[in-house]
Amino acid sequence: MSAQFNASQLSILLIEPSEVQRKVITRHLADAGVRQVDGAATIAEAQEKLGYLNPDLVASAMYFEDGDADKILDFMFSQPHLRDTPFMLVSSETKRNYIEQFKQLGVVAILPKPFTFPHLKRALNATIDLIEPQALKLSNFETEDLSVLIVDDSVTSRHYLGRVVRSIGIENIVEAESGAQAIEVLRDYPVDLIVTDYHMPEMNGDEFAKTVRNELNQQHVPILMVSARADELQLEQIEQSGVNALTDKPFEPETLRTLLASILDEL
């Protein structure tokens, strides 16, 4: 992580309907070194403030009287100046399908209520890492020469994954919105690494990886699978399909650096 940029320089828009919770979270942010926090109580107020603010991070609760947090994410993605702004969900929601929805949308972190100080610091560090990227250093490859294929059916998730990949110094990126489209890409475009989602319609990540290994006979290309949820059966299937590494959504630049260093330096 850059020594020049730290939490004290972060500006955050905190969107939380409860005034008490806004004060509590603001205090936790202050304890982590964050000094610049603007607040909003509704989605409408948040959209208004995002019209003139340019925060480094948007931290939001899930539920509001005028909608849910995905409405904020959709708004941010529709605005060019906000599309790269990291989004952090802070929620007491425990239903897995609701949480998975946000994992698939490409958020920098999901914090439970109440959250721990290490959880918060990890999320802030991931945000800082995106603002001031730190290039991946490899023994056997020049990072800027690597090409990566990102496969995910969610456009917002692909955008976030692309930003994480670029944050470690890789600029040669091609995207596919399905396993079938990715197979066609691989027939014509050789890549050094594949980053793929697991949960995709028609062809999931496991089936896609098996096709890459068996039908395309590309045994040498490392495959990193990203999953919002993987149970034991899915993990066993993934291991048998020729995937080199598995990580959760969301994941941070530091996680990607560590995984890729492990995978690529073994080749």
Side-chain angles (χ1 to χ4, degrees):
M1 187 189 312
S2 171
Q4 282 72 44
F5 197 96
N6 55 56
S8 67
Q9 295 166 277
L10 283 175
S11 60
I12 295 178
L13 176 61
L14 174 60
I15 313 168
E16 164 61 56
S18 165
E19 182 178 359
V20 172
Q21 284 296 313
R22 284 200 305 277
K23 289 180 179 178
V24 169
I25 295 172
T26 299
R27 186 172 69 247
H28 286 308
L29 289 169
D31 291 340
V34 179
R35 300 289 179 264
Q36 304 174 63
V37 180
D38 281 283
T42 66
I43 292 176
E45 184 182 4
Q47 291 177 341
E48 180 185 356
K49 289 196 171 185
L50 286 170
Y52 58 85
L53 291 176
N54 190 21
D56 298 309
L57 172 67
V58 173
S60 175
M62 181 176 285
Y63 302 115
F64 301 86
E65 290 185 357
D66 54 345
D68 297 344
D70 58 340
K71 189 174 179 180
I72 302 170
L73 266 171
D74 289 343
F75 173 78
M76 291 172 61
F77 198 74
S78 72
Q79 306 297 311
H81 74 290
L82 297 172
R83 191 168 291 179
D84 284 335
T85 303
F87 182 95
M88 177 172 69
L89 183 69
V90 185
S91 175
S92 57
E93 179 61 74
T94 57
K95 293 179 181 177
R96 192 165 65 177
N97 58 322
Y98 290 126
I99 296 298
E100 285 173 9
Q101 172 189 356
F102 283 89
K103 287 184 176 182
Q104 295 286 14
L105 287 173
V107 299
V108 71
I110 298 177
L111 298 187
K113 285 182 182 177
F115 54 80
T116 65
F117 188 74
H119 282 150
L120 179 60
K121 285 292 290 184
R122 182 176 176 179
L124 296 178
N125 288 343
T127 301
I128 293 170
D129 226 345
L130 289 171
I131 293 170
E132 288 212 344
Q134 185 178 28
L136 171 68
K137 295 181 180 179
L138 297 169
S139 301
N140 301 323
F141 300 90
E142 294 295 332
T143 306
E144 60 268 22
D145 294 335
L146 294 174
S147 58
V148 177
L149 169 63
I150 295 175
V151 190
D152 199 306
D153 59 303
S154 164
V155 62
T156 53
S157 185
R158 289 199 308 275
H159 185 81
Y160 175 74
L161 290 173
R163 190 174 183 199
V164 174
V165 170
R166 289 184 181 89
S167 77
I168 65 172
I170 300 174
E171 292 293 336
N172 300 319
I173 299 173
V174 61
E175 297 182 1
E177 62 183 25
S178 68
Q181 187 181 82
I183 294 300
E184 293 306 309
V185 169
L186 290 170
R187 294 187 194 278
D188 302 317
Y189 186 85
V191 298
D192 302 300
L193 172 71
I194 298 169
V195 179
T196 179
D197 186 24
Y198 178 86
H199 296 281
M200 296 185 291
E202 299 181 8
M203 179 186 291
N204 66 27
D206 171 57
E207 295 164 336
F208 166 65
K210 287 179 180 176
T211 303
V212 171
R213 297 300 189 220
N214 300 327
E215 292 187 23
L216 298 184
N217 198 29
Q218 296 194 17
Q219 306 295 332
H220 64 286
V221 180
I223 300 176
L224 169 62
M225 189 165 291
V226 186
S227 177
R229 169 179 56 87
D231 57 31
E232 290 186 9
L233 176 60
Q234 290 167 347
L235 288 173
E236 183 178 343
Q237 292 171 338
I238 289 168
E239 289 175 358
Q240 294 174 355
S241 65
V243 170
N244 297 82
L246 173 71
T247 187
D248 293 329
K249 282 186 177 182
F251 74 107
E252 304 90 3
E254 181 57 34
T255 300
L256 185 60
R257 275 194 295 268
T258 301
L259 282 171
L260 293 194
S262 173
I263 294 171
L264 294 175
D265 276 341
E266 288 180 356
L267 299 179

